Amino acid sequence: MTLEEEIAALKRKHHALILAHNYTRPEVQDLADFVGDSLELSRKAAECHAPVIVFCGVRFMAETAKILSPESIVILPNPNAGCPMADMASPELVARYRREHPDTLIVAYVNTTAETKTEVDICCTSGNAEKLIAGLPEDRKILFLPDANLGANLNNRLGRKMALWPGFCPTHNKIFPEHILAAKEKHPGAIVLVHPECTPAVTALADHALSTGGMLKFVRQSDAKEFVIGTECGIVHRMRKENPDKHFYPLEPAVLCPNMKKITEEDVLFALRNLSPRIELDDNMRKRALAPIERMLEVIP
Ligand code: 13P
Ligand code: SF4
């Protein structure tokens, strides 16, 4: 039996669902039942009722799946796949900020740990942040955490003055304006898409700053044939697969999230053979972390 056949057999045996983020390795994406961005994967986890979810992504995403689907066994095939940005806002520091600023609404990017989510008012993802924040009262003081770039890009787009936590994505911070300018020179006819985790200096040079799901939708619907892609290079696999007649140019040097790449096909096989390593959350903590995610899904269903 090939590795893929064994994975398929174990998946059937356990009625397991494999979810994968758009940045995972191409071969992992090809094994998955569903590939998507953070918001799409959260929605899928909330509605799937699968007894076993194998979550190919980083820890905060698998935790979100467990928060939304507590009855499921949720497995993160490589337990070391974390998100450094999520770890930049500790629950203790966020709790201290709240004590010191009791009238501030705390909006957390979903890239936060489950424990940090227990200290915030509402979550958002890059796919719904603009709509969600635009709907908040203009005179309300807001802290946006942990991504200062995403927060600054939202402030610029919406004319807001949210306070920004000093977190960042080490992968997207490696994209400089020079990379975009060089790509534009090399591919003058291409549309430039970047992720809003890039610095405002980078997003200012792009045609659009979109979530990974937003980028995939954009390229599908666009009549253009060439796109420069300013985000983690794993997304290009799906773009090429879904749009064989279009050309995608990831930035040089290829932008890579080492954590997303930690999950291999072998890890998925091990996970299904052993139903491990699982995400386990204290139930009280899980319920407190659920509240800001539910608020997000209520505001932007
Ligand atoms: P998306 O929600 O756009 O997929 O982004 C998640 C992420 O971690 C980007 O670095
Ligand atoms: Fe975290 Fe950045 Fe990797 Fe996304 S790309 S998972 S924000 S480190």
Side-chain angles (χ1 to χ4, degrees):
M1 227 194 297
T2 65
L3 187 136
E4 287 78 12
E5 284 165 354
E6 195 178 345
I7 287 175
L10 287 165
K11 237 180 65 177
R12 278 194 301 277
K13 176 177 165 196
H14 296 301
H15 303 285
L17 189 77
I18 302 182
L19 302 181
H21 188 266
N22 291 319
Y23 293 162
T24 50
R25 292 168 182 268
E27 62 275 17
V28 169
Q29 293 187 31
D30 291 344
L31 286 175
D33 297 291
F34 184 80
V35 185
D37 70 10
S38 306
L39 182 59
E40 291 161 343
L41 294 172
S42 295
R43 287 202 180 110
K44 205 72 187 171
E47 71 197 22
C48 73
H49 306 293
V52 175
I53 299 174
V54 178
F55 202 108
C56 304
V58 291
R59 178 166 290 273
F60 79 83
M61 296 180 179
E63 283 183 349
T64 306
K66 183 68 183 173
I67 292 166
L68 287 163
S69 187
E71 306 305 327
S72 306
I73 292 172
V74 176
I75 303 170
L76 179 61
N78 185 326
N80 298 319
C83 168
M85 183 212 279
D87 295 331
M88 289 177 191
S90 73
E92 294 79 15
L93 282 181
V94 178
R96 190 168 96 188
Y97 189 98
R98 184 183 287 292
R99 280 196 303 279
E100 290 170 359
H101 305 81
D103 56 344
T104 295
L105 187 86
I106 303 185
V107 180
Y109 190 25
V110 75
N111 297 37
T112 39
T113 64
E115 223 179 326
T116 293
K117 287 188 176 75
T118 67
E119 302 290 347
V120 309
D121 295 301
I122 188 162
C123 286
C124 69
T125 72
S126 54
N128 64 16
E130 197 170 315
K131 205 165 165 191
L132 188 139
I133 287 158
L136 297 174
E138 298 229 346
D139 55 350
R140 190 74 204 262
K141 281 190 199 156
I142 300 172
L143 167 69
F144 187 85
L145 64 85
D147 187 3
N149 286 339
L150 176 58
N153 284 318
L154 289 163
N155 275 345
N156 291 343
R157 287 213 34 110
L158 298 168
R160 293 268 179 163
K161 290 195 173 82
M162 297 188 292
L164 306 177
W165 196 268
F168 61 91
C169 163
T171 299
H172 286 91
N173 254 25
K174 290 198 184 99
I175 303 177
F176 292 113
E178 291 75 9
H179 296 128
I180 305 288
L181 293 171
K184 279 184 166 188
E185 208 173 305
K186 205 166 163 194
H187 309 289
I191 292 186
V192 180
L193 303 179
V194 300
H195 197 277
E197 286 175 13
C198 294
T199 62
V202 167
T203 58
L205 293 171
D207 292 301
H208 302 281
L210 297 167
S211 71
T212 60
M215 284 188 202
L216 282 151
K217 188 172 169 197
F218 184 92
V219 301
R220 209 166 32 241
Q221 293 178 348
S222 171
D223 291 332
K225 292 280 177 232
E226 293 185 285
F227 303 86
V228 168
I229 303 300
T231 191
E232 215 278 352
C233 57
I235 196 173
V236 171
H237 172 65
R238 211 180 134 191
M239 287 176 167
R240 290 188 174 135
K241 205 166 147 181
E242 292 178 358
N243 308 274
D245 58 327
K246 298 181 181 176
H247 300 281
F248 301 99
Y249 311 117
L251 292 179
E252 292 293 336
V255 184
L256 205 131
C257 172
N259 283 285
M260 287 284 183
K261 300 301 188 242
K262 279 182 184 160
I263 294 171
T264 62
E265 277 183 298
E266 287 76 13
D267 291 334
V268 175
L269 177 60
F270 180 93
L272 281 164
R273 274 188 190 155
N274 301 290
L275 296 186
S276 144
R278 299 182 190 189
I279 298 284
E280 306 281 7
L281 299 174
D282 166 80
D283 201 49
N284 184 38
M285 196 260 271
R286 185 195 69 78
K287 284 182 183 140
R288 288 174 56 217
L290 175 64
I293 301 173
E294 277 189 334
R295 270 177 222 126
M296 166 182 88
L297 296 172
E298 272 161 30
V299 177
I300 316 276

